[in-house]
Amino acid sequence: MFSERKVLLVVNPISGNKDKQEILLKVAARAEEDDYVLSIFSTTGIDDLNEIRELVKNLCPSRVLVAGGDGTISMVAEAVQGQEVIFGIIPAGSANGLSADFGLPVSIDESIEVAFGENSVHIDAVKINEDISLHLSDIGLNALLVKNYESGDTRGKLGYALEMFKTLNEHENFQVRITTDQGIIETEALVVIIANAKKYGTGISINPFGDMSDGKFELVIAKKIDFIETAKFLTGNTEFNHDVMEFLSVEKAKIECLDREVYFQVDGEYKGLVRCVEAEILKNYVTVLVP
């Protein structure tokens, strides 16, 4: 039986290279003000998913709040999926792409206000092999950028910008076969994005068709770097040159890298090299508090 007066806060202490003490103090003050019993869990990187599942089972909170980046948010969503729990996000990562898609405020005070509010939406997730993605995952260029960023010394958007030059010099296109219920595409690709949402945390709208509640995800297949097509992204234009960019809205897809293993990331977490991924929509996966 889930308690209306219990809240669990999950904190990733190292996300975004930011001190979380202010978030902890302000969430504790708001929980006391609203007469909630607050429990706090700090991730360690060791079996966090199962630890959170056990906490939710034992504590029976009515809402679970997350202070971390997109990877932490997706992990906690997986932990509470199927439970009578609403889900609040306090942006505290390096890029905070999910928060941008939900229109969540940047300030701690305003995001806590939303997290203790009552306005919520049901959102889908995408199962990619054994991982859960709420936001944006990809194979190719951006996954290599995530890998380089994780091994770099600078955090935040500046860190991504610094690593981009290195990534562009290292990356090579790859041959890919994509199978969906709409047919088979074989092409050379710079990146294949599995997009449940619209924006990367840098603010770039990579998927103008994205809707996290529509029961589908998009495949964005970028075949080469093209500054005109990139400008179309930034201005919201949805008429693209299909020799440069392809979009598919699907419920399932199989993506095979034909010539070699390719870099792969899920919601900002580098996962390694892959030859094949299979993706499937999971409808109404979790309930998220929004402005």
Side-chain angles (χ1 to χ4, degrees):
M1 185 73 175
F2 284 78
S3 169
E4 293 183 0
R5 308 319 302 173
K6 287 184 179 180
V7 59
L8 171 64
L9 172 64
V10 177
V11 180
N12 183 338
I14 63 171
S15 63
N17 202 27
K18 301 171 185 175
D19 183 12
K20 307 303 186 302
Q21 188 62 27
E22 183 181 3
I23 292 174
L24 293 172
L25 292 173
K26 289 187 172 182
V27 169
R30 181 56 186 265
E32 183 178 5
E33 180 184 328
D34 287 3
D35 197 29
Y36 279 98
V37 176
L38 173 66
S39 300
I40 298 172
F41 175 79
S42 292
T43 62
T44 64
I46 302 172
D47 203 30
D48 290 319
L49 178 61
N50 288 323
E51 292 271 4
I52 296 164
R53 279 177 172 154
E54 283 299 308
L55 269 176
V56 172
K57 178 181 176 181
N58 294 330
L59 293 172
C60 299
S62 61
R63 64 182 67 202
V64 175
L65 314 185
V66 185
D70 292 340
T72 306
I73 292 166
S74 294
M75 177 188 66
V76 178
E78 184 176 356
V80 305
Q81 194 273 333
Q83 306 292 338
E84 296 176 19
V85 173
I86 53 176
F87 192 59
I89 297 170
I90 301 169
S94 298
N96 301 314
L98 263 174
S99 304
D101 263 293
F102 287 127
L104 290 170
V106 174
S107 81
I108 293 173
D109 289 335
E110 290 178 319
S111 62
I112 289 174
E113 187 70 26
V114 173
F116 279 89
E118 299 300 330
N119 194 47
S120 63
V121 294
H122 299 293
I123 67 165
D124 305 324
V126 185
K127 184 177 181 182
I128 308 174
N129 291 351
E130 299 305 314
D131 292 297
I132 297 296
S133 171
L134 296 183
H135 189 226
L136 295 166
S137 304
D138 48 63
I139 304 167
L141 177 67
N142 188 65
L144 176 57
L145 174 60
V146 170
K147 175 181 180 292
N148 288 339
Y149 173 82
E150 288 183 356
S151 60
D153 297 324
T154 306
R155 291 292 169 259
K157 292 181 181 179
L158 176 60
Y160 281 110
L162 292 173
E163 294 298 338
M164 177 56 78
F165 297 103
K166 175 183 176 182
T167 301
L168 287 172
N169 286 327
E170 288 182 3
H171 181 70
E172 296 180 359
N173 283 15
F174 57 99
Q175 293 293 324
V176 65
R177 178 192 296 127
I178 299 171
T179 306
T180 72
D181 58 4
Q182 299 175 26
I184 298 174
I185 295 174
E186 286 196 19
T187 185
E188 183 178 82
L190 179 75
V191 60
V192 178
I193 303 167
I194 302 166
N196 192 37
K198 289 184 178 182
K199 296 179 181 179
Y200 281 117
T202 54
I204 293 175
S205 179
I206 199 70
N207 176 25
F209 309 102
D211 180 343
M212 285 184 275
S213 302
D214 66 354
K216 293 185 178 183
F217 63 92
E218 279 69 50
L219 294 175
V220 184
I221 309 155
K223 301 175 183 179
K224 59 185 177 180
I225 294 174
D226 187 292
F227 292 107
I228 293 175
E229 298 305 304
T230 301
K232 289 179 181 180
F233 274 135
L234 299 177
T235 57
N237 191 323
T238 57
E239 295 295 326
F240 297 100
N241 179 350
H242 292 287
D243 291 333
V244 177
M245 198 83 63
E246 290 276 355
F247 287 84
L248 300 171
S249 289
V250 298
E251 295 186 17
K252 294 177 69 174
K254 182 177 183 180
I255 303 164
E256 300 170 272
C257 305
L258 301 178
D259 53 344
R260 67 179 190 280
E261 293 183 317
V262 181
Y263 302 102
F264 173 49
Q265 69 89 18
V266 175
D267 287 0
E269 302 284 331
Y270 179 64
K271 296 295 182 179
L273 294 165
V274 294
R275 287 298 294 256
C276 178
V277 300
E278 297 191 37
E280 179 179 3
I281 197 73
L282 302 174
K283 299 178 182 179
N284 296 324
Y285 189 77
V286 71
T287 303
V288 178
L289 290 150
V290 295

PDB file of all heavy atoms in Angstrom, residues 136-148 160 164 167 171 190-193 200 202 263-265 268 270:
ATOM      1  N   LEU A 136      16.990  10.133 -25.484  1.00  0.00           N
ATOM      2  CA  LEU A 136      17.641   9.967 -26.777  1.00  0.00           C
ATOM      3  C   LEU A 136      18.828   9.024 -26.636  1.00  0.00           C
ATOM      4  O   LEU A 136      19.705   9.236 -25.798  1.00  0.00           O
ATOM      5  CB  LEU A 136      18.149  11.321 -27.297  1.00  0.00           C
ATOM      6  CG  LEU A 136      17.091  12.375 -27.618  1.00  0.00           C
ATOM      7  CD1 LEU A 136      17.756  13.735 -27.773  1.00  0.00           C
ATOM      8  CD2 LEU A 136      16.322  12.020 -28.883  1.00  0.00           C
ATOM      9  N   SER A 137      18.847   8.009 -27.468  1.00  0.00           N
ATOM     10  CA  SER A 137      19.967   7.077 -27.522  1.00  0.00           C
ATOM     11  C   SER A 137      20.466   7.039 -28.959  1.00  0.00           C
ATOM     12  O   SER A 137      19.726   7.398 -29.881  1.00  0.00           O
ATOM     13  CB  SER A 137      19.528   5.686 -27.069  1.00  0.00           C
ATOM     14  OG  SER A 137      18.966   5.749 -25.771  1.00  0.00           O
ATOM     15  N   ASP A 138      21.696   6.606 -29.159  1.00  0.00           N
ATOM     16  CA  ASP A 138      22.183   6.596 -30.535  1.00  0.00           C
ATOM     17  C   ASP A 138      23.386   5.699 -30.722  1.00  0.00           C
ATOM     18  O   ASP A 138      24.057   5.300 -29.774  1.00  0.00           O
ATOM     19  CB  ASP A 138      22.490   8.015 -31.026  1.00  0.00           C
ATOM     20  CG  ASP A 138      23.319   8.827 -30.046  1.00  0.00           C
ATOM     21  OD1 ASP A 138      24.459   8.427 -29.780  1.00  0.00           O
ATOM     22  OD2 ASP A 138      22.820   9.842 -29.540  1.00  0.00           O
ATOM     23  N   ILE A 139      23.632   5.423 -31.998  1.00  0.00           N
ATOM     24  CA  ILE A 139      24.769   4.642 -32.453  1.00  0.00           C
ATOM     25  C   ILE A 139      25.574   5.534 -33.382  1.00  0.00           C
ATOM     26  O   ILE A 139      25.019   6.098 -34.328  1.00  0.00           O
ATOM     27  CB  ILE A 139      24.302   3.383 -33.205  1.00  0.00           C
ATOM     28  CG1 ILE A 139      23.377   2.536 -32.331  1.00  0.00           C
ATOM     29  CG2 ILE A 139      25.473   2.555 -33.685  1.00  0.00           C
ATOM     30  CD1 ILE A 139      22.638   1.467 -33.105  1.00  0.00           C
ATOM     31  N   GLY A 140      26.873   5.694 -33.111  1.00  0.00           N
ATOM     32  CA  GLY A 140      27.694   6.478 -34.013  1.00  0.00           C
ATOM     33  C   GLY A 140      28.297   7.704 -33.381  1.00  0.00           C
ATOM     34  O   GLY A 140      28.810   7.665 -32.254  1.00  0.00           O
ATOM     35  N   LEU A 141      28.226   8.820 -34.087  1.00  0.00           N
ATOM     36  CA  LEU A 141      28.956  10.041 -33.732  1.00  0.00           C
ATOM     37  C   LEU A 141      28.685  10.519 -32.311  1.00  0.00           C
ATOM     38  O   LEU A 141      29.617  10.762 -31.534  1.00  0.00           O
ATOM     39  CB  LEU A 141      28.617  11.155 -34.721  1.00  0.00           C
ATOM     40  CG  LEU A 141      29.256  12.518 -34.430  1.00  0.00           C
ATOM     41  CD1 LEU A 141      30.763  12.451 -34.593  1.00  0.00           C
ATOM     42  CD2 LEU A 141      28.660  13.589 -35.339  1.00  0.00           C
ATOM     43  N   ASN A 142      27.428  10.674 -31.936  1.00  0.00           N
ATOM     44  CA  ASN A 142      27.140  11.239 -30.615  1.00  0.00           C
ATOM     45  C   ASN A 142      27.543  10.281 -29.497  1.00  0.00           C
ATOM     46  O   ASN A 142      27.968  10.728 -28.422  1.00  0.00           O
ATOM     47  CB  ASN A 142      25.663  11.601 -30.483  1.00  0.00           C
ATOM     48  CG  ASN A 142      25.393  12.358 -29.198  1.00  0.00           C
ATOM     49  OD1 ASN A 142      25.860  13.469 -29.005  1.00  0.00           O
ATOM     50  ND2 ASN A 142      24.648  11.729 -28.289  1.00  0.00           N
ATOM     51  N   ALA A 143      27.412   8.988 -29.728  1.00  0.00           N
ATOM     52  CA  ALA A 143      27.843   8.025 -28.712  1.00  0.00           C
ATOM     53  C   ALA A 143      29.351   8.121 -28.472  1.00  0.00           C
ATOM     54  O   ALA A 143      29.824   8.004 -27.333  1.00  0.00           O
ATOM     55  CB  ALA A 143      27.458   6.609 -29.125  1.00  0.00           C
ATOM     56  N   LEU A 144      30.115   8.359 -29.538  1.00  0.00           N
ATOM     57  CA  LEU A 144      31.558   8.576 -29.371  1.00  0.00           C
ATOM     58  C   LEU A 144      31.808   9.867 -28.583  1.00  0.00           C
ATOM     59  O   LEU A 144      32.706   9.923 -27.735  1.00  0.00           O
ATOM     60  CB  LEU A 144      32.241   8.636 -30.736  1.00  0.00           C
ATOM     61  CG  LEU A 144      33.739   8.949 -30.737  1.00  0.00           C
ATOM     62  CD1 LEU A 144      34.527   7.949 -29.889  1.00  0.00           C
ATOM     63  CD2 LEU A 144      34.274   8.984 -32.165  1.00  0.00           C
ATOM     64  N   LEU A 145      31.003  10.893 -28.845  1.00  0.00           N
ATOM     65  CA  LEU A 145      31.120  12.138 -28.079  1.00  0.00           C
ATOM     66  C   LEU A 145      30.869  11.886 -26.594  1.00  0.00           C
ATOM     67  O   LEU A 145      31.604  12.385 -25.730  1.00  0.00           O
ATOM     68  CB  LEU A 145      30.128  13.173 -28.614  1.00  0.00           C
ATOM     69  CG  LEU A 145      30.017  14.486 -27.825  1.00  0.00           C
ATOM     70  CD1 LEU A 145      31.352  15.211 -27.767  1.00  0.00           C
ATOM     71  CD2 LEU A 145      28.936  15.373 -28.427  1.00  0.00           C
ATOM     72  N   VAL A 146      29.848  11.101 -26.270  1.00  0.00           N
ATOM     73  CA  VAL A 146      29.555  10.767 -24.875  1.00  0.00           C
ATOM     74  C   VAL A 146      30.731  10.013 -24.253  1.00  0.00           C
ATOM     75  O   VAL A 146      31.132  10.279 -23.117  1.00  0.00           O
ATOM     76  CB  VAL A 146      28.250   9.940 -24.774  1.00  0.00           C
ATOM     77  CG1 VAL A 146      28.064   9.377 -23.371  1.00  0.00           C
ATOM     78  CG2 VAL A 146      27.056  10.800 -25.160  1.00  0.00           C
ATOM     79  N   LYS A 147      31.289   9.067 -24.994  1.00  0.00           N
ATOM     80  CA  LYS A 147      32.448   8.317 -24.507  1.00  0.00           C
ATOM     81  C   LYS A 147      33.612   9.263 -24.208  1.00  0.00           C
ATOM     82  O   LYS A 147      34.241   9.191 -23.141  1.00  0.00           O
ATOM     83  CB  LYS A 147      32.868   7.270 -25.539  1.00  0.00           C
ATOM     84  CG  LYS A 147      34.139   6.497 -25.187  1.00  0.00           C
ATOM     85  CD  LYS A 147      34.476   5.505 -26.293  1.00  0.00           C
ATOM     86  CE  LYS A 147      35.741   4.717 -25.965  1.00  0.00           C
ATOM     87  NZ  LYS A 147      36.952   5.565 -25.990  1.00  0.00           N
ATOM     88  N   ASN A 148      33.907  10.165 -25.137  1.00  0.00           N
ATOM     89  CA  ASN A 148      35.011  11.102 -24.945  1.00  0.00           C
ATOM     90  C   ASN A 148      34.734  12.064 -23.792  1.00  0.00           C
ATOM     91  O   ASN A 148      35.642  12.404 -23.022  1.00  0.00           O
ATOM     92  CB  ASN A 148      35.265  11.882 -26.229  1.00  0.00           C
ATOM     93  CG  ASN A 148      35.909  11.026 -27.314  1.00  0.00           C
ATOM     94  OD1 ASN A 148      36.507   9.991 -27.026  1.00  0.00           O
ATOM     95  ND2 ASN A 148      35.781  11.450 -28.553  1.00  0.00           N
ATOM     96  N   TYR A 160      31.213  19.222 -23.353  1.00  0.00           N
ATOM     97  CA  TYR A 160      30.763  18.647 -24.619  1.00  0.00           C
ATOM     98  C   TYR A 160      31.365  19.394 -25.803  1.00  0.00           C
ATOM     99  O   TYR A 160      31.787  18.791 -26.797  1.00  0.00           O
ATOM    100  CB  TYR A 160      29.234  18.689 -24.707  1.00  0.00           C
ATOM    101  CG  TYR A 160      28.551  17.588 -23.934  1.00  0.00           C
ATOM    102  CD1 TYR A 160      27.838  17.867 -22.773  1.00  0.00           C
ATOM    103  CD2 TYR A 160      28.610  16.265 -24.367  1.00  0.00           C
ATOM    104  CE1 TYR A 160      27.205  16.859 -22.059  1.00  0.00           C
ATOM    105  CE2 TYR A 160      27.987  15.249 -23.665  1.00  0.00           C
ATOM    106  CZ  TYR A 160      27.285  15.557 -22.508  1.00  0.00           C
ATOM    107  OH  TYR A 160      26.665  14.556 -21.803  1.00  0.00           O
ATOM    108  N   MET A 164      33.868  17.848 -28.758  1.00  0.00           N
ATOM    109  CA  MET A 164      33.310  17.718 -30.103  1.00  0.00           C
ATOM    110  C   MET A 164      34.400  17.739 -31.172  1.00  0.00           C
ATOM    111  O   MET A 164      34.367  16.966 -32.138  1.00  0.00           O
ATOM    112  CB  MET A 164      32.302  18.834 -30.372  1.00  0.00           C
ATOM    113  CG  MET A 164      31.717  18.822 -31.779  1.00  0.00           C
ATOM    114  SD  MET A 164      30.915  17.240 -32.230  1.00  0.00           S
ATOM    115  CE  MET A 164      29.358  17.444 -31.347  1.00  0.00           C
ATOM    116  N   THR A 167      36.068  14.432 -31.281  1.00  0.00           N
ATOM    117  CA  THR A 167      35.143  13.412 -31.771  1.00  0.00           C
ATOM    118  C   THR A 167      35.001  13.473 -33.290  1.00  0.00           C
ATOM    119  O   THR A 167      35.001  12.443 -33.975  1.00  0.00           O
ATOM    120  CB  THR A 167      33.771  13.589 -31.093  1.00  0.00           C
ATOM    121  OG1 THR A 167      33.937  13.471 -29.677  1.00  0.00           O
ATOM    122  CG2 THR A 167      32.785  12.541 -31.581  1.00  0.00           C
ATOM    123  N   HIS A 171      35.783  10.156 -35.647  1.00  0.00           N
ATOM    124  CA  HIS A 171      34.638   9.366 -36.111  1.00  0.00           C
ATOM    125  C   HIS A 171      34.722   9.026 -37.595  1.00  0.00           C
ATOM    126  O   HIS A 171      35.165   9.831 -38.412  1.00  0.00           O
ATOM    127  CB  HIS A 171      33.339  10.119 -35.841  1.00  0.00           C
ATOM    128  CG  HIS A 171      32.130   9.355 -36.278  1.00  0.00           C
ATOM    129  ND1 HIS A 171      31.708   8.212 -35.622  1.00  0.00           N
ATOM    130  CD2 HIS A 171      31.262   9.539 -37.302  1.00  0.00           C
ATOM    131  CE1 HIS A 171      30.626   7.740 -36.222  1.00  0.00           C
ATOM    132  NE2 HIS A 171      30.339   8.526 -37.242  1.00  0.00           N
ATOM    133  N   LEU A 190      26.254   8.533 -40.421  1.00  0.00           N
ATOM    134  CA  LEU A 190      27.082   9.241 -39.446  1.00  0.00           C
ATOM    135  C   LEU A 190      26.619   8.894 -38.038  1.00  0.00           C
ATOM    136  O   LEU A 190      27.416   8.661 -37.140  1.00  0.00           O
ATOM    137  CB  LEU A 190      26.944  10.740 -39.693  1.00  0.00           C
ATOM    138  CG  LEU A 190      27.691  11.696 -38.777  1.00  0.00           C
ATOM    139  CD1 LEU A 190      29.164  11.709 -39.122  1.00  0.00           C
ATOM    140  CD2 LEU A 190      27.101  13.111 -38.912  1.00  0.00           C
ATOM    141  N   VAL A 191      25.303   8.833 -37.864  1.00  0.00           N
ATOM    142  CA  VAL A 191      24.696   8.496 -36.585  1.00  0.00           C
ATOM    143  C   VAL A 191      23.274   8.002 -36.836  1.00  0.00           C
ATOM    144  O   VAL A 191      22.604   8.461 -37.767  1.00  0.00           O
ATOM    145  CB  VAL A 191      24.692   9.716 -35.622  1.00  0.00           C
ATOM    146  CG1 VAL A 191      23.903  10.876 -36.199  1.00  0.00           C
ATOM    147  CG2 VAL A 191      24.169   9.360 -34.240  1.00  0.00           C
ATOM    148  N   VAL A 192      22.829   7.050 -36.029  1.00  0.00           N
ATOM    149  CA  VAL A 192      21.429   6.632 -36.009  1.00  0.00           C
ATOM    150  C   VAL A 192      20.904   6.898 -34.599  1.00  0.00           C
ATOM    151  O   VAL A 192      21.407   6.319 -33.632  1.00  0.00           O
ATOM    152  CB  VAL A 192      21.257   5.141 -36.367  1.00  0.00           C
ATOM    153  CG1 VAL A 192      19.775   4.759 -36.281  1.00  0.00           C
ATOM    154  CG2 VAL A 192      21.808   4.869 -37.771  1.00  0.00           C
ATOM    155  N   ILE A 193      19.921   7.774 -34.510  1.00  0.00           N
ATOM    156  CA  ILE A 193      19.384   8.189 -33.213  1.00  0.00           C
ATOM    157  C   ILE A 193      18.049   7.498 -32.972  1.00  0.00           C
ATOM    158  O   ILE A 193      17.177   7.475 -33.851  1.00  0.00           O
ATOM    159  CB  ILE A 193      19.195   9.716 -33.161  1.00  0.00           C
ATOM    160  CG1 ILE A 193      20.521  10.427 -33.448  1.00  0.00           C
ATOM    161  CG2 ILE A 193      18.642  10.159 -31.800  1.00  0.00           C
ATOM    162  CD1 ILE A 193      20.372  11.909 -33.727  1.00  0.00           C
ATOM    163  N   TYR A 200      18.481  17.257 -27.483  1.00  0.00           N
ATOM    164  CA  TYR A 200      19.639  16.961 -26.662  1.00  0.00           C
ATOM    165  C   TYR A 200      19.761  18.040 -25.583  1.00  0.00           C
ATOM    166  O   TYR A 200      19.178  19.129 -25.701  1.00  0.00           O
ATOM    167  CB  TYR A 200      20.922  16.936 -27.502  1.00  0.00           C
ATOM    168  CG  TYR A 200      21.123  15.665 -28.285  1.00  0.00           C
ATOM    169  CD1 TYR A 200      21.144  15.678 -29.677  1.00  0.00           C
ATOM    170  CD2 TYR A 200      21.304  14.453 -27.641  1.00  0.00           C
ATOM    171  CE1 TYR A 200      21.338  14.514 -30.408  1.00  0.00           C
ATOM    172  CE2 TYR A 200      21.493  13.281 -28.358  1.00  0.00           C
ATOM    173  CZ  TYR A 200      21.512  13.315 -29.741  1.00  0.00           C
ATOM    174  OH  TYR A 200      21.695  12.151 -30.454  1.00  0.00           O
ATOM    175  N   THR A 202      22.072  19.937 -25.019  1.00  0.00           N
ATOM    176  CA  THR A 202      22.698  21.147 -25.536  1.00  0.00           C
ATOM    177  C   THR A 202      21.675  22.138 -26.074  1.00  0.00           C
ATOM    178  O   THR A 202      22.007  23.267 -26.402  1.00  0.00           O
ATOM    179  CB  THR A 202      23.669  20.780 -26.666  1.00  0.00           C
ATOM    180  OG1 THR A 202      22.964  20.004 -27.643  1.00  0.00           O
ATOM    181  CG2 THR A 202      24.840  19.978 -26.133  1.00  0.00           C
ATOM    182  N   TYR A 263      30.041   2.661 -31.735  1.00  0.00           N
ATOM    183  CA  TYR A 263      29.792   3.224 -30.409  1.00  0.00           C
ATOM    184  C   TYR A 263      28.285   3.389 -30.160  1.00  0.00           C
ATOM    185  O   TYR A 263      27.529   3.764 -31.053  1.00  0.00           O
ATOM    186  CB  TYR A 263      30.477   4.580 -30.287  1.00  0.00           C
ATOM    187  CG  TYR A 263      31.964   4.529 -30.517  1.00  0.00           C
ATOM    188  CD1 TYR A 263      32.516   4.933 -31.741  1.00  0.00           C
ATOM    189  CD2 TYR A 263      32.823   4.061 -29.533  1.00  0.00           C
ATOM    190  CE1 TYR A 263      33.882   4.872 -31.961  1.00  0.00           C
ATOM    191  CE2 TYR A 263      34.201   3.997 -29.746  1.00  0.00           C
ATOM    192  CZ  TYR A 263      34.717   4.400 -30.962  1.00  0.00           C
ATOM    193  OH  TYR A 263      36.069   4.335 -31.180  1.00  0.00           O
ATOM    194  N   PHE A 264      27.886   3.162 -28.881  1.00  0.00           N
ATOM    195  CA  PHE A 264      26.454   3.132 -28.519  1.00  0.00           C
ATOM    196  C   PHE A 264      26.270   3.796 -27.167  1.00  0.00           C
ATOM    197  O   PHE A 264      27.020   3.538 -26.221  1.00  0.00           O
ATOM    198  CB  PHE A 264      26.006   1.667 -28.490  1.00  0.00           C
ATOM    199  CG  PHE A 264      24.610   1.444 -27.982  1.00  0.00           C
ATOM    200  CD1 PHE A 264      23.531   2.164 -28.452  1.00  0.00           C
ATOM    201  CD2 PHE A 264      24.377   0.454 -27.025  1.00  0.00           C
ATOM    202  CE1 PHE A 264      22.247   1.930 -27.988  1.00  0.00           C
ATOM    203  CE2 PHE A 264      23.098   0.208 -26.553  1.00  0.00           C
ATOM    204  CZ  PHE A 264      22.028   0.953 -27.036  1.00  0.00           C
ATOM    205  N   GLN A 265      25.267   4.687 -27.065  1.00  0.00           N
ATOM    206  CA  GLN A 265      24.947   5.322 -25.777  1.00  0.00           C
ATOM    207  C   GLN A 265      23.438   5.338 -25.567  1.00  0.00           C
ATOM    208  O   GLN A 265      22.650   5.373 -26.521  1.00  0.00           O
ATOM    209  CB  GLN A 265      25.509   6.751 -25.709  1.00  0.00           C
ATOM    210  CG  GLN A 265      24.849   7.778 -26.613  1.00  0.00           C
ATOM    211  CD  GLN A 265      23.660   8.491 -25.983  1.00  0.00           C
ATOM    212  OE1 GLN A 265      23.488   8.477 -24.770  1.00  0.00           O
ATOM    213  NE2 GLN A 265      22.828   9.118 -26.827  1.00  0.00           N
ATOM    214  N   GLY A 268      22.608   9.398 -22.486  1.00  0.00           N
ATOM    215  CA  GLY A 268      23.807  10.042 -21.963  1.00  0.00           C
ATOM    216  C   GLY A 268      24.788   9.132 -21.262  1.00  0.00           C
ATOM    217  O   GLY A 268      25.784   9.599 -20.712  1.00  0.00           O
ATOM    218  N   TYR A 270      27.388   6.036 -21.865  1.00  0.00           N
ATOM    219  CA  TYR A 270      28.071   5.234 -22.874  1.00  0.00           C
ATOM    220  C   TYR A 270      27.978   3.744 -22.518  1.00  0.00           C
ATOM    221  O   TYR A 270      28.259   3.345 -21.390  1.00  0.00           O
ATOM    222  CB  TYR A 270      29.539   5.651 -22.982  1.00  0.00           C
ATOM    223  CG  TYR A 270      30.310   4.834 -23.988  1.00  0.00           C
ATOM    224  CD1 TYR A 270      29.987   4.875 -25.337  1.00  0.00           C
ATOM    225  CD2 TYR A 270      31.356   4.004 -23.588  1.00  0.00           C
ATOM    226  CE1 TYR A 270      30.685   4.113 -26.264  1.00  0.00           C
ATOM    227  CE2 TYR A 270      32.068   3.245 -24.500  1.00  0.00           C
ATOM    228  CZ  TYR A 270      31.719   3.296 -25.844  1.00  0.00           C
ATOM    229  OH  TYR A 270      32.404   2.539 -26.761  1.00  0.00           O
TER     230      TYR A 270
END
